[in-house]
Amino acid sequence: MKEALIIIDVQNDYFQAGKMELRNPSEALGNIKKLLAEFRNEKKEIIFIKHISVREEAGFFLKDTVGAEIHNEIFPSDSEKIVIKNYPNSFFNTELDQYLKEKGVESLIITGMMTHMCVDSTTRAAKDLGYKCTVIKDTCATRDFIFEEKLVAAEEIQKSFMTALGYYYADILSCEEYLEKRV
């Protein structure tokens, strides 16, 4: 089954001093770099997803800003596909599904940011479109939220979303588990 690595929204605004800083994005980035090196070494399909906000009031990922740029530690090579999206679901109003079908991809290895939005919606859409999905849990990052006047820690959000996705939508593995499985 031909697989592709999907790297969702690993953009500057999610890192330190960005407009929407996440909890521990550098740890996720470190694991993404490991997967990226493996896929590049094996000359496998790699797709970067880049979010450009269509809502100025969002305040981050605004067109033509440094914050919207893909993080320089994983910047795509000329041969790697970049899909621009404007909504959380990487398939909505983009060429992603058509591109994957043209390449004969059936299995997606999903990484990226934010777990509770773009990773979640992209994984669910991919499964609904018939792709086999694997989410690499330690390549994703999210943030703290306040709900009903109580703090919901990023770690709890991460666990909750991985649990929900793992029930039906995707296999959930760590980077180490995924790489060991490939050997």
Side-chain angles (χ1 to χ4, degrees):
M1 187 176 284
K2 186 172 181 183
E3 65 183 5
L5 177 64
I6 306 291
I7 302 172
I8 302 170
D9 301 351
V10 181
Q11 295 166 248
N12 293 328
D13 271 340
Y14 281 152
F15 290 82
Q16 186 174 9
K19 303 279 187 193
M20 180 59 74
E21 189 174 337
L22 302 182
R23 177 76 63 85
N24 301 319
S26 295
E27 290 175 27
L29 177 64
N31 287 320
I32 291 170
K33 287 168 59 175
K34 292 175 191 175
L35 291 176
L36 184 58
E38 187 75 19
F39 271 70
R40 284 177 172 166
N41 185 50
E42 294 179 8
K43 299 189 182 346
K44 290 194 167 193
E45 195 67 40
I46 299 165
I47 299 133
F48 288 82
I49 309 296
K50 181 179 177 182
H51 192 108
I52 300 297
S53 184
V54 291
R55 296 179 316 115
E56 188 81 19
E57 66 273 13
F60 67 104
F61 291 166
L62 301 176
K63 185 177 180 177
D64 299 323
T65 64
V66 172
E69 294 304 314
I70 294 171
H71 197 283
N72 66 0
E73 288 187 33
I74 60 162
F75 202 78
S77 71
D78 291 338
S79 65
E80 294 165 350
K81 178 76 172 163
I82 300 172
V83 172
I84 305 295
K85 70 177 178 68
N86 305 117
Y87 302 95
N89 173 355
S90 300
F91 290 93
F92 183 67
N93 286 348
T94 73
E95 74 274 22
L96 181 58
D97 187 41
Q98 178 183 343
Y99 180 81
L100 293 169
K101 285 184 167 83
E102 287 171 2
K103 295 293 184 177
V105 173
E106 300 170 290
S107 177
L108 304 181
I109 309 307
I110 300 170
T111 69
M113 302 173 185
M114 293 192 283
T115 305
H116 68 278
M117 286 294 289
C118 300
V119 172
D120 179 64
S121 62
T122 298
T123 302
R124 290 171 186 267
K127 176 69 173 181
D128 290 345
L129 289 168
Y131 295 97
K132 179 186 181 322
C133 299
T134 302
V135 175
I136 309 301
K137 63 184 175 185
D138 53 0
T139 63
C140 301
T142 189
R143 60 193 279 274
D144 295 339
F145 279 92
I146 301 294
F147 181 73
E148 296 180 345
E149 300 179 26
K150 294 181 182 162
L151 175 71
V152 182
E155 293 81 9
E156 294 306 312
I157 293 169
Q158 180 77 8
K159 287 179 199 174
S160 295
F161 275 83
M162 290 299 127
T163 300
L165 287 173
Y167 180 74
Y168 171 77
Y169 289 96
D171 292 330
I172 308 296
L173 299 173
S174 69
C175 182
E176 184 178 329
E177 289 168 334
Y178 175 75
L179 292 173
E180 285 176 3
K181 186 174 147 184
R182 295 172 56 94
V183 176

